[in-house]
């Protein structure tokens, strides 16, 4: 075998491939260290490239890279809530949570970086990125509930539950992914039904939603 045959051919990455590589390296670093403790040299070293190359893709420096990394994680996470509006609600919610928790399980660094974005190196843009995921999730849930114009009590209930899902997911990671993911998902679905029932006692719109869910369960 000749030396040239033994050496793998070098393949230049496309623009999108290189950008994805840099974002993946940045997400991993931002998830484990505060953004102010991560330098562009760190990102370059993690990606196996030079610092000038990082600047070529992100001329705005670390802040631009940080925001792009958050946006990448947010876009992927939002896809978890895209569930067809067919069949009873609870199985639909369970399937959406299965995808959400699978993302948390398989991309825990990106998930952690996303949620930390609302409090670390906070700007109006990073706050908007994080809040955009929560709002998208809420809009999906309103649609699944069959409510075009949710009132303040129903909005508060849904958005509070979404916050609880986020917190439970982070705690689950801290607890070495215990309890088993199937148990966590079932508990979160039950919690959603419980908070809806509490709100239904005070809000006619939510009471109608709970009544419709009861009819679904009898079908």
């Amino acid at each position: 075998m000749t030396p040239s045959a033994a050496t793998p051919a070098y393949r230049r990455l496309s623009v999108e491939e290189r950008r994805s590589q840099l974002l993946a390296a940045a997400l991993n670093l931002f998830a484990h260290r505060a953004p102010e403790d991560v330098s562009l040299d760190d990102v370059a070293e993690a990606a196996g490239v030079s610092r000038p190359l990082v600047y070529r893709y992100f001329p705005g420096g670390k802040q631009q890279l940080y925001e792009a990394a958050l946006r990448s994680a947010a876009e992927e996470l939002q896809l978890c809530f895209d569930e067809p509006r067919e069949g009873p609600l609870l199985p639909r919610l369970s399937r959406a949570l299965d995808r959400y928790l699978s993302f948390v399980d398989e991309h825990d660094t990106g998930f952690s970086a996303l949620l930390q974005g609302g409090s670390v190196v906070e700007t109006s843009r990073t706050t908007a990125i994080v809040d955009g995921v929560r709002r998208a999730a809420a809009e999906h849930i309103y649609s699944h509930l069959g409510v075009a114009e949710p009132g303040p009590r129903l909005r508060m209930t849904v958005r509070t539950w979404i916050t609880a899902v986020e917190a439970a997911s982070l705690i689950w990671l801290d607890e070495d992914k215990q309890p088993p993911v199937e148990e966590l998902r079932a508990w979160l679905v039950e919690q959603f039904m419980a908070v809806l029932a509490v709100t239904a006692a005070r809000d006619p719109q939510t009471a109608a939603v709970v009544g419709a869910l009861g009819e679904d369960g009898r079908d």
Side-chain angles (χ1 to χ4, degrees):
M1 181 178 293
T2 65
S4 60
T7 302
Y10 173 77
R11 184 174 71 87
R12 183 183 297 275
L13 296 181
S14 70
V15 171
E16 282 305 312
E17 287 173 332
R18 181 66 73 188
R19 180 179 173 84
S20 296
Q21 177 196 30
L22 295 175
L23 286 177
L27 273 173
N28 184 65
L29 291 171
F30 288 137
H32 293 93
R33 290 151 57 184
E36 57 268 24
D37 294 333
V38 177
S39 68
L40 289 182
D41 287 331
D42 294 329
V43 175
E45 181 180 359
V49 301
S50 66
R51 178 188 175 96
L53 183 63
V54 179
Y55 262 115
R56 184 189 307 171
Y57 282 83
F58 300 97
K62 187 173 70 174
Q63 184 67 27
Q64 182 187 8
L65 177 58
Y66 178 61
E67 291 173 10
L70 285 179
R71 194 171 292 109
S72 175
E75 289 172 356
E76 187 172 352
L77 191 55
Q78 286 184 25
L79 294 177
C80 297
F81 304 106
D82 191 10
E83 173 70 22
R85 274 62 170 171
E86 301 171 356
L89 172 69
L90 294 187
R92 280 183 270 155
L93 183 60
S94 293
R95 288 191 294 270
L97 279 173
D98 279 338
R99 286 193 295 273
Y100 180 91
L101 294 173
S102 178
F103 178 93
V104 174
D105 186 19
E106 297 174 12
H107 305 87
D108 50 354
T109 56
F111 178 80
S112 298
L114 173 65
L115 293 194
Q116 289 172 3
S119 58
V120 181
V121 189
E122 183 174 349
T123 68
S124 60
R125 292 187 297 273
T126 58
T127 300
I129 291 168
V130 175
D131 196 49
V133 176
R134 296 169 181 145
R135 291 183 180 277
E139 291 300 325
H140 278 291
I141 292 173
Y142 302 145
S143 179
H144 284 299
L145 293 175
V147 178
E149 297 182 5
R153 291 177 180 81
L154 182 56
R155 287 198 305 271
M156 184 177 294
T157 299
V158 170
R159 296 187 68 181
T160 298
W161 179 74
I162 290 169
T163 301
V165 171
E166 291 179 359
S169 299
L170 288 173
I171 294 169
W172 184 67
L173 292 176
D174 286 341
E175 294 291 336
D176 296 324
K177 300 180 180 178
Q178 291 297 322
V181 67
E182 296 83 3
E183 182 180 334
L184 175 62
R185 183 253 296 155
W187 176 69
L188 289 172
V189 171
E190 292 167 1
Q191 187 184 70
F192 182 61
M193 294 304 298
V195 295
L196 279 179
V198 170
T199 305
R202 297 175 175 270
D203 179 44
Q205 183 183 50
T206 307
V209 168
V210 172
L213 293 178
E215 293 177 2
D216 281 346
R218 292 190 292 269
D219 289 343

